Amino acid sequence: MVADAATWQKEQVSRAFGHALATQGGYTICDWNVDKDGVDVTLRSRGLMVDIQLKWTQSPRVVRSGYSFDLDIETYDKLSDPECSAPGHLALLIVPSDFASSVVEPLGREDQRHERSRRAEGQPARCERAGTGGSP
């Protein structure tokens, strides 16, 4: 089960980053509910489209002046199929090894008990920014 959670969490982070880049670039982005064609998202601008398979890694393999990523043959074949209506590309998100801990800093047990007590007394929940330990 843990591996499954890690897989969908990576997918969601990749999608969020893809959305951020597409928005910054002024593209329309289409999410596909099912990844049966090797495509996670499609970007569109003025009638032109590109299909994207999103992946992430914490340890990229450097080759010459770029990166190399081992994509399964089935997905590669789907992305490079000349019969597709849009060209397919792989987008690789490279994240630091401590990425998960830098995104969310969970409350400790003592903080959780205190938070439950605050809510029971009708006080608003306290928000903390990851890594600051203080109020927003």
Side-chain angles (χ1 to χ4, degrees):
M1 278 296 180
V2 174
D4 291 336
T7 299
W8 66 257
Q9 289 167 352
K10 289 177 183 180
E11 180 180 349
Q12 293 306 308
V13 168
S14 296
R15 285 179 180 274
F17 195 74
H19 275 262
L21 290 178
T23 300
Q24 180 65 30
Y27 298 98
T28 301
I29 189 166
C30 177
D31 279 306
W32 300 104
N33 293 331
V34 179
D35 183 6
K36 69 179 184 70
D37 294 320
V39 175
D40 291 315
V41 297
T42 298
L43 300 181
R44 184 179 177 117
S45 178
R46 295 177 297 209
L48 299 175
M49 295 185 300
V50 63
D51 290 335
I52 307 286
Q53 172 63 227
L54 301 166
K55 296 291 183 185
W56 93 330
T57 184
Q58 293 176 315
S59 53
R61 190 172 61 213
V62 179
V63 177
R64 293 186 209 104
S65 62
Y67 298 103
S68 177
F69 184 82
D70 288 329
L71 190 62
D72 62 275
I73 292 171
E74 183 180 1
T75 302
Y76 176 84
D77 288 345
K78 289 176 180 179
L79 288 175
S80 60
D81 184 354
E83 301 289 317
C84 289
S85 59
H89 293 276
L90 172 67
L92 183 62
L93 175 61
I94 301 169
V95 298
S97 59
D98 64 345
F99 179 75
S101 64
S102 67
V103 174
V104 177
E105 182 178 293
L107 293 174
R109 289 183 187 203
E110 198 59 39
D111 288 337
Q112 289 173 355
R113 278 194 288 271
H114 180 68
E115 199 61 36
R116 281 192 297 269
S117 172
R118 288 174 56 87
R119 281 184 289 213
E121 295 170 3
Q123 296 179 19
R126 180 186 56 164
C127 296
E128 291 187 14
R129 292 184 187 173
T132 64
S135 297

